[in-house]
């Protein structure tokens, strides 16, 4: 007998655990780490069993029963539950939210309140309602002619307070009814039928003495006395022979190959010559399964590689820690093309050889089929891939293969850090500096930092790799907390490309007349490379055509109504789009303010560069890669594949093109405008620019052709530019770290950003001020900045204010007290402002300051 009660956590913000009674029938099933179906308020919800206990937090007669247990065995072991508790505590979010995030999507089984009309109201009734209670009338109108809506959906879309009380009144008037409906989980195993030949079927083939009579096969089966004549058509016989050769086939494939119809197969099965078995088949974009035997979709050869001395040292140091079950953080600083990936592969191989499992995190965008194929070639079916561009079913299947212990190397994006890897020996985090490791909704965790904590809890080694380590990680290495490993040379000593910084103020005049997109030098270089049939990568880190349109006569700029942010002009469809809320409208022909006709497009987006390329180099084959051209599931991989096959001369795109691409014919990289990110109101703007320029420059001249890089900028004096030109990370680090120290930014402080959102700006400002004042009054070991309007002041009709908190490193070095006090104030505020539709979110260690 376990304890009689269970503590259950729900994936809801601000929610603590609740206690339920475990009925005797479920006692053995209701294990810690399983999901349970329980009543919650008026509905039924899925929660996580986190503890079995004999203590209850309120009167036993109020206690409700668990209705069902959803998992046959726990989804979480003790170590991952411990990790979840750490995350909830550190990032100030609910344990249930964290547990939900740790699982693949689509597992929730939930009930919803569902509302529909009971009867159609009469015309007078409706007229009366319109006058007396227009809001109720609005609900009735929304429901008319519809099957009904989820209440939650209605509340969200009618966008006013009190939808629920209006519904209550409509229920009393017996006009609508609200019911509970159960929604099944989305993710389910995919099962398929396979056809197998039975021993009787085999015997029949062996012993057959067939003769063709009356157009059909007559034959005798059974070696014995009782001669059993069965009629089989020629096709059925061929089908049996096919199965005898193949052993077993997918039902659908069998029908197609044999030309048999369903009924013919059925009759074979009835005579017990074949049997149908249902089995789960795994869905994967990376493997082809024929009869459950996996083969990689892309086959690659493993090159025979002898590690150079630095690589060998890095592998050896990492392997040493794995062998000794020692938590140690290694920072692998290797310039682009220095062979970091090969170090990961060898370190993982050594980990498997120790009978331990490994995990590798990669930014989503760099997780191309080619990158996966390289690992498949080395580790075959031991690999499981997890990222959010896979379908729900594919993720579910891959996750369960890890859970069953069949996959022992997990490769994935951010959330793969939670994969149920059993005996963790090594975690690799590639491109550890990448901001995309931070999740931008609750729980706002940073996958690299969670990986470090997970490694520590598992006594595992962790290898963080980058050509441009984050200032935080490099400082940790400087302070001796991380072990620095360096790969200072490119493989085969391929020289780093020569980088030129072009001052656009000086060079613009001499450019061909293209609104300052290309300097003459970049223009001539492109022409030269095209002539030589070499390839070119062009970076412009801003999508669309032009970031804003402005009327020359009156200065009018079109801002998004919902967001107060300049709308971006997109040439396709002649549209203005808001990049924050996705609103769009037709671009005006005349200024809406002064009716003037002189509207200019300010700034440069990728579409504008594309148009200029078409005009200047009509013969060049250009492919553009940005958010707008990569919405399809595999669009991204297709573009890269075709560029790799030299079906295009120029690859033009946003930062997406900077990651890990290895194209040996690329000899020129051009940065159209290096300044797009520099002006952001963010203390990491310089770091991000340096990283991006270094990454993209690393794409030039990867093999035997020498590479060149041309960076156009209006801030040629900026340190980022000079350091990118000299490929000098250390110089950049020294400069940047002094700035951070002077301004007390990380790693010289820890930050928390509290964001407030509401439709009423005045009310919001007041609330944010009260919050800041309260926080200051606690006298905690931190400083409070603001409230200030967020740099993105208004998004989708909501105003945004923010408060920044910086801890005092001398008094509270781990920011433990700071977070505890902040948490109390946040909880207090939520209670005080309940039902006000005021939204508050806390971002611990923010990577974006907006
Ligand atoms: P990075 O990850 O640092 O950009 P990679 O590991 O992808 O570098 O290596 C770049 C190229 O060099 C790859 O094609 C890889 O196969 C090759 N390579 C890596 N290490 C060696 C080595 N020691 N000897 C020869 N080739 C190597
Ligand atoms: Zn908008």
């Amino acid at each position: 007998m376990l304890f009689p009660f269970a503590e259950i956590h729900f994936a809801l913000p601000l929610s603590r655990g609740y206690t339920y009674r475990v009925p005797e029938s479920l006692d053995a099933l209701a294990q810690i780490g399983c999901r349970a179906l329980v009543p919650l308020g008026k509905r039924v919800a899925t929660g996580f069993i986190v503890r079995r206990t004999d203590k209850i937090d309120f009167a036993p007669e109020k206690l409700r029963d668990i209705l069902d247990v959803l998992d046959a065995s726990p989804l979480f072991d003790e170590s991952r539950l411990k990790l979840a508790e750490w995350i909830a505590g550190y990032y100030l979010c609910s344990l249930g939210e964290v547990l939900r995030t740790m699982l693949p999507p689509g597992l929730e089984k939930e009930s919803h309140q569902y509302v529909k009309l009971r009867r159609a109201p009469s015309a007078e009734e409706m007229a009366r309602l319109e006058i007396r209670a227009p809001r109720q009338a609005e609900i009735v109108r929304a429901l008319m002619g519809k099957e009904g809506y989820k209440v939650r959906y209605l509340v969200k879309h009618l966008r006013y307070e009190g939808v629920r009380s209006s519904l209550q009144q409509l229920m009393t008037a017996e006009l609508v009814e609200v019911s509970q409906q159960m929604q099944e989980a989305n993710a389910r195993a995919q099962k398929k039928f396979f056809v197998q030949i039975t021993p009787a079927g085999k015997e029949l083939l062996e012993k057959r003495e067939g003769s063709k009579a009356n157009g059909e096969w007559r034959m005798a089966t059974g070696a014995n006395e009782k001669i059993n004549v069965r009629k089989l058509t020629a096709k059925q016989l061929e089908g049996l022979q096919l199965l005898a050769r193949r052993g077993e086939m997918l039902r659908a494939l069998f029908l197609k190959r044999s030309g048999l119809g369903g009924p013919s197969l059925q009759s074979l099965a009835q005579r017990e010559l074949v049997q149908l078995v249902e089995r789960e088949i795994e869905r994967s974009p990376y493997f082809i399964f024929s009869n459950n035997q996996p083969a990689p979709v892309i086959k690659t050869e493993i090159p025979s590689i002898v590690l150079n001395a630095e690589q060998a040292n890095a592998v050896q140091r990492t392997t040493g820690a794995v062998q000794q079950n020692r938590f140690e953080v290694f920072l692998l600083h290797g310039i682009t093309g220095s062979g970091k990936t090969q170090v990961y592969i060898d370190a993982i191989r050594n980990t498997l050889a120790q009978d331990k499992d490994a995990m590798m995190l990669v930014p989503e965008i760099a997780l191309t089929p080619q990158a996966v194929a390289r690992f498949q070639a080395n580790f075959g079916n031991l690999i499981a891939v997890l990222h959010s561009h896979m379908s729900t079913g594919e993720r579910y299947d891959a996750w369960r293969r890890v859970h069953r212990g069949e996959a022992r190397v997990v490769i994935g994006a951010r959330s793969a850090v939670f994969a149920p890897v059993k005996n963790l020996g090594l975690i690799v985090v590639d491109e550890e500096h990448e901001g995309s490791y931070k999740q931008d909704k609750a729980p706002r965790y940073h996958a690299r930092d969670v990986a470090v904590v997970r490694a520590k809890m598992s006594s595992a080694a962790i290898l963080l790799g980058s050509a441009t380590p984050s200032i935080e990680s490099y400082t940790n290495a400087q302070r001796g907390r991380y072990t620095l490993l360096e790969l200072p040379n490119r493989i085969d000593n391929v020289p780093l490309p020569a980088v030129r910084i072009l001052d656009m103020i000086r060079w613009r005049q001499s450019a061909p007349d293209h609104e300052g997109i290309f300097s003459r030098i970049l223009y001539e270089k492109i022409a030269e490379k095209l002539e030589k049939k070499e390839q070119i990568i062009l970076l412009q880190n801003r999508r669309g055509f032009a970031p804003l349109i402005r009327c020359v006569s009156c200065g009018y700029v079109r801002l998004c109504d919902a967001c107060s942010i300049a709308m971006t002009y997109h040439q396709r469809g002649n549209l203005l789009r808001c990049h924050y809320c996705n609103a769009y409208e037709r671009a005006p022909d005349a200024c809406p303010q002064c009716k003037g006709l002189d509207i200019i497009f300010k700034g440069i987006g990728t579409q504008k560069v594309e148009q200029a390329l078409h005009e200047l180099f009509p013969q060049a084959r250009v492919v553009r890669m940005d958010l707008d051209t990569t919405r399809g599931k595999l669009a991204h991989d297709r573009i890269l594949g075709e560029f790799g096959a030299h079906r295009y001369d120029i690859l033009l795109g946003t930062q997406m093109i900077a990651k890990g691409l290895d194209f040996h014919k690329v000899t020129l990289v051009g940065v159209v405008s290096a300044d797009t990110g520099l002006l952001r109101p963010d203390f990491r703007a310089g770091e991000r620019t340096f990283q991006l320029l270094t990454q993209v420059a690393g794409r030039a001249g990867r093999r035997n052709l020498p590479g060149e890089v041309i960076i156009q900028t209006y801030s040629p004096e900026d340190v980022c530019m000079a350091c990118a030109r000299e490929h000098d990370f250390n110089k950049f680090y020294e400069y940047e770290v002094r700035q951070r120290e002077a301004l007390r930014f990380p790693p010289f402080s820890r930050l928390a950003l509290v964001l407030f959102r509401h439709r009423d700006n005045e009310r919001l400002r007041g609330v944010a001020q009260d919050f800041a004042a309260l926080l200051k009054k606690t006298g905690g070991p931190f400083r409070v900045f603001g409230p200030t309007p967020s740099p993105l002041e208004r998004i989708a009709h909501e105003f945004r204010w923010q408060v920044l908190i910086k801890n005092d490193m001398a008094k509270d070095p781990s920011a433990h007290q700071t977070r505890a006090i902040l948490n109390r104030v946040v909880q207090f505020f939520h209670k005080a402002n309940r039902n006000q539709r005021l939204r508050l979110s806390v971002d611990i260690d923010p990577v974006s300051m907006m």
Side-chain angles (χ1 to χ4, degrees), residues 195 235-236 251-252 254-256 258-271 274 276:
V195 189
K235 269 196 182 160
Q236 282 177 317
R251 180 178 182 272
F254 174 71
L255 291 179
K256 198 167 136 206
S258 65
L260 288 172
S264 300
L265 174 61
Q266 207 50 48
S267 89
L268 284 177
Q270 267 159 13
R271 292 182 232 178
V274 303
L276 286 155

Side-chain angles (χ1 to χ4, degrees), residues 560-564 578-583 795-796:
C560 171
D561 290 333
C563 308
S564 316
C578 171
H579 283 188
Y580 291 92
C581 73
N582 268 329
I795 300 292

Side-chain angles (χ1 to χ4, degrees), residues 520-548:
R520 175 159 296 275
I521 293 180
L522 181 53
Y523 167 79
E524 284 169 358
K525 274 288 173 213
I526 295 173
E528 177 197 321
K529 301 296 178 188
L530 288 174
E531 182 75 13
K532 286 195 194 154
K533 306 250 176 296
E534 293 170 1
Q535 286 181 294
I536 299 157
I537 288 179
L538 289 178
L539 173 81
Q540 174 59 5
N541 200 15
R542 189 169 251 165
R543 70 191 166 101
F545 188 84
L548 57 91

Side-chain angles (χ1 to χ4, degrees), residues 7 157-158 174 199 239 365 444 458 498 503 526 536 544 564 623 648 688 720 722 724 748 768 783 791 807 823 825:
E7 182 182 317
H157 283 264
L158 291 181
E174 299 195 337
I365 203 115
R444 293 183 151 75
S458 318
D503 178 354
I526 295 173
I536 299 157
S564 316
V623 61
Y648 295 103
R688 293 265 175 267
C720 309
F748 300 94
R783 291 180 62 192
N807 74 327
N823 194 29
V825 175

